[in-house]
Amino acid sequence: PKMFNRWQVYKWQQAGKLTDLRKQHITAMYDGELSWTSHELSRFLEHIEGLPGKSLVIIHNDHGEEFWEHDGFEHNHTLYNDTTLGLLWVKPPGGTGQAGARSEHPATLQDIGPTAYEFAGFTDAPKTDGVSLLPAIRGAADAGWTRPIPIGHLQYGASQFAVVWDDHKYIVTTGTGAEELYD
């Protein structure tokens, strides 16, 4: 079908009707949505480039999706990178002078506010749990710029919590005490 929801996918799975072909179809539909979104974002950004003045553009998504990499589907049921890594894209006014630059420094959605406040020059910005990403964006963050990033809250499945720090991810399942550590 052209339209379906997560519950239908799980019903197909329970009934033994979630074939490899159906999985490929679901994944291809998602890829199509990403392609359409990318196209529309490029149109939007072209419009912003034509505006007078200075524009700070911040784009983010809140999670990734799993397509059976760990025998699961969609998001909000595991803390693996498939579902927890996302995009945080910042284009400062005038760019960074580093076209296509990527930062490997960890960031969260909580960092958006402090980053925007610092770009705007606020000296009395409210306190948040995030940090400004301006040093990383300008290429001025050193190798010591690191911090633990906590991850939690699952809507489906077992209760889990995780922390990412220094290229490692530790996951604990609270009901069983099962632990996982990834490098």
Side-chain angles (χ1 to χ4, degrees), residues 8-23:
Q8 287 172 292
V9 173
Y10 287 113
K11 283 182 183 179
W12 295 332
Q13 185 172 343
Q14 289 171 350
K17 296 180 180 180
L18 187 58
T19 64
D20 286 342
L21 183 61
R22 187 166 267 172
K23 288 179 181 180

Side-chain angles (χ1 to χ4, degrees), residues 28-110:
M29 289 183 68
Y30 182 78
D31 289 345
E33 290 177 6
L34 290 178
S35 179
W36 178 84
T37 301
S38 177
H39 177 266
E40 293 302 309
L41 272 175
S42 70
R43 290 180 55 214
F44 172 71
L45 293 172
E46 282 178 20
H47 177 74
I48 291 211
E49 287 292 326
L51 295 175
K54 297 179 179 179
S55 298
L56 168 66
V57 179
I58 299 176
I59 298 174
H60 75 84
N61 68 319
D62 60 343
H63 57 77
E65 296 290 339
E66 180 184 349
F67 290 98
W68 301 282
E69 292 88 353
H70 301 278
D71 298 323
F73 167 69
E74 61 147 7
H75 63 275
N76 228 346
H77 63 281
T78 72
L79 296 179
Y80 296 119
N81 286 353
D82 306 314
T83 61
T84 60
L85 288 182
L87 167 76
L88 177 57
W89 186 70
V90 180
K91 182 188 173 302
T96 62
Q98 309 169 56
R102 286 180 63 124
S103 173
E104 296 302 322
H105 297 291
T108 74
L109 298 182
Q110 295 171 327

